[in-house]
Amino acid sequence: MSVSVDLHAPLAVLGQDVQVPLASGEKVGYAALDYAASAPALQRVWDDVAAYAPYYGSVHRGAGYLSQLSTDLFEQSRRTVADFLDLRGGDQVVFTRATTDSLNLLAAAVPAGTRVFAFETEHHASLLPWAHAGLEVSYLRAPRSRAEAVAALEAALAAASEGPKLLCVTGASNVTGELWPVAELTATAHRHGARVVLDAAQLAPHHRVSVRELDVDWIAFSGHKLYAPFGAGVLAGRADWLDAAEPYLAGGGATRTVAREPDGSVAVQWNTGPARHEAGSPNVIGAYAIASACRALTEAGFDALEARERQLVERLTAGLAQIPEVRVLNLFGEAGDIRSSARVGVLSFVVRGWNSSHFSAALSAEYGIGVRDGLFCAHPLVRTLLGDEEVAPSECGAPEPSLPGERSLNAIRVSFGAGTPDEHIERFLTAVRELVTDGAAWNYRNEGGRCVADSRR
Ligand SMILES: Cc1ncc(COP(=O)(O)O)c(C=O)c1O
């Protein structure tokens, strides 16, 4: 079935006409296939920000008209995000810098003595803040099916001692793109009295997310992956732990009153509500941009976006399945069947006989395609997925092993979303086929850790 979408409104993205130079000197339209790192800005977001820019003023600070307007816009953006996420009454929306910041904020706010549960497959932003904040963490082994994930959590929670508990889980993997069984994991966690924070950095740009229906306690996502690259992110959810915690940052905006005491000290009454964790001048443009993206995605409807993306994912996986040298990395899919696992528009793979950095460099220099190579800030997961994969050496040199004595590993990730035309996927598949069959047309060299085209073969 072919799903047609209007690529112009409301989900048109910037950069569709950008031309980039190839190693040959020719220019081609850039095929942006690295949405999972940072998605292009929506035209709608850009236009909304540009329309607001002349009215820009300080938030929560000024008496002037533009300050009042900017404050209203900032608070209205909070309400738009709350609607977009389908929050419950009483839930809070805190504006942060991005998902990493949101999860570090939550890690700093959970009650002392909380035990955190996280699968080792998480992005480092979901894996690391907890121990860094001094909490006890149980790292669960990489499950090889969704049912196994639920069973592993069940067993871990059943064995856990009394006290506050928190599960941090991703909605969609930033490496494999696979969807995680969030509702089932949440039900399991709640049965054992554990709370749940959902890392929706890769889910929110692709799927409708209802906090109420999933029943998660908190959710985190980044504006720059949601087509709103203006330096803001979101942590939203239950108010109790946030209001009871020390403010994330100490400073203006987080305080109700600050007074000098007779003994020379300074007494502070901190705000409750989102302001408690938003010290400093708020990023009103970032918050407004996120709200604009939420409105555009809601207006376009996730049904159309998801249908379009499924079509591209099917074309991509069917095309890659015909290239025996390509191995797609799946955690949950049936062995050998790369099309069996439900995923968003994110997929990683390795190519037999190729170093992934070399391959990705050739995609860029010879075809104008931008993908990502490496371990994608999810080192334990990529190590598990690559298993005993031989990493081919290349003229670029294999990347340095991250642990002494360990083999070096890396993979290639392709990711897409709103505004991705068929042509980008077709060009990508043609490029992979040609590189595998004919080899690169250029010699590459390592320049300061980057693989760059050197001379024609
Ligand atoms: C699943 C996941 N979680 C968290 C993050 C961190 O997001 P940010 O870099 O925007 O803070 C990323 C970024 O790639 C991600 O993919």
Side-chain angles (χ1 to χ4, degrees):
M1 187 185 69
S2 173
V3 183
S4 68
V5 285
D6 178 358
L7 291 177
H8 296 288
L11 297 185
V13 294
L14 294 179
Q16 297 279 34
D17 303 328
V18 169
Q19 300 279 308
V20 292
L22 300 179
S24 64
E26 273 173 79
K27 288 199 159 181
V28 289
Y30 186 62
L33 292 177
D34 195 13
Y35 277 46
S38 284
L42 283 180
Q43 181 74 51
R44 177 73 71 82
V45 168
W46 198 259
D47 291 346
D48 279 351
V49 167
Y52 162 60
Y55 300 92
Y56 174 74
S58 66
V59 170
H60 298 150
R61 279 164 175 74
Y65 185 83
L66 297 193
S67 286
Q68 302 290 320
L69 185 144
S70 295
T71 301
D72 287 350
L73 211 69
F74 187 67
E75 293 306 327
Q76 178 56 45
S77 299
R78 231 190 266 289
R79 290 191 286 278
T80 302
V81 170
D83 290 344
F84 178 73
L85 295 173
D86 191 21
L87 296 185
R88 301 154 292 231
D91 282 347
Q92 287 182 358
V93 172
V94 182
F95 284 114
T96 63
R97 287 181 297 167
T99 309
T100 305
D101 199 29
S102 301
L103 295 171
N104 276 275
L105 191 169
L106 187 65
V110 302
T114 300
R115 174 167 287 277
V116 180
F117 296 80
F119 287 92
E120 64 184 8
T121 48
E122 293 296 342
H123 186 281
H124 296 169
S126 296
L127 194 68
L128 305 180
W130 320 109
H132 190 65
L135 298 161
E136 295 284 332
V137 188
S138 296
Y139 298 104
L140 309 180
R141 290 223 163 276
R144 296 318 295 239
S145 72
R146 292 180 177 85
E148 201 180 305
V150 177
L153 180 67
E154 171 73 47
L157 288 171
S161 48
E162 287 296 305
K165 297 182 239 342
L166 176 72
L167 166 70
C168 178
V169 67
T170 188
S173 164
N174 71 305
V175 175
T176 68
E178 289 167 306
L179 294 166
W180 276 67
V182 176
E184 293 87 332
L185 289 168
T186 303
T188 305
H190 284 173
R191 224 179 319 107
H192 289 277
R195 293 190 176 195
V196 178
V197 55
L198 172 63
D199 173 354
Q202 300 295 347
L203 185 65
H206 301 277
H207 281 273
R208 175 178 166 268
V209 178
S210 164
V211 165
R212 190 187 305 270
E213 284 169 20
L214 288 172
D215 201 23
V216 294
D217 299 275
W218 292 277
I219 182 168
F221 70 88
S222 302
H224 70 103
K225 297 183 197 292
L226 195 86
Y227 311 103
F230 289 87
V234 165
L235 174 69
R238 302 211 182 271
D240 53 356
W241 283 7
L242 296 177
D243 277 345
E246 288 296 308
Y248 182 43
L249 296 172
T255 56
R256 202 174 292 150
T257 61
V258 181
R260 199 66 204 275
E261 295 288 281
D263 68 358
S265 65
V266 170
V268 185
Q269 267 199 323
W270 300 102
N271 272 322
T272 52
R276 185 179 186 84
H277 298 293
E278 287 177 349
S281 299
N283 175 3
V284 56
I285 289 192
Y288 184 53
I290 288 180
S292 168
C294 292
R295 278 193 300 273
L297 286 160
T298 305
E299 189 185 317
F302 273 99
D303 287 351
L305 191 66
E306 287 174 29
R308 165 74 183 151
E309 209 171 288
R310 263 198 308 278
Q311 189 186 28
L312 293 177
V313 166
E314 274 179 25
R315 175 69 193 114
L316 177 67
T317 49
L320 289 178
Q322 286 173 349
I323 307 172
E325 291 81 358
V326 167
R327 179 158 86 82
V328 171
L329 305 181
N330 264 9
L331 195 56
F332 299 148
E334 296 302 317
D337 179 5
I338 64 169
R339 299 174 70 179
S340 65
S341 202
R343 56 157 49 88
V344 298
V346 177
L347 178 148
S348 297
F349 64 100
V350 287
V351 183
R352 195 184 321 130
W354 281 82
N355 179 280
S356 294
S357 299
H358 185 192
F359 200 88
S360 304
L363 287 173
S364 173
E366 300 183 27
Y367 297 91
I369 297 170
V371 297
R372 178 158 170 199
D373 65 285
L375 296 169
F376 319 122
C377 298
H379 294 188
L381 170 58
V382 178
R383 279 203 195 95
T384 297
L385 293 172
L386 289 179
D388 356 319
E389 193 77 36
E390 280 294 320
V391 167
S394 79
E395 54 238 67
C396 290
E400 289 299 314
S402 48
L403 298 174
E406 196 176 60
R407 293 169 309 122
S408 67
L409 292 171
N410 64 354
I412 305 155
R413 181 180 74 189
V414 54
S415 56
F416 46 86
T420 301
D422 291 344
E423 190 274 327
H424 288 181
I425 301 296
E426 294 307 329
R427 195 191 327 168
F428 171 77
L429 288 171
T430 302
V432 174
R433 241 179 273 120
E434 287 181 0
L435 287 171
V436 165
T437 311
D438 306 331
W442 286 71
N443 296 305
Y444 289 78
R445 68 187 149 76
N446 186 329
E447 193 178 277
R450 278 177 54 210
C451 194
V452 294
D454 189 37
S455 56
R456 206 182 268 283
R457 273 197 201 279

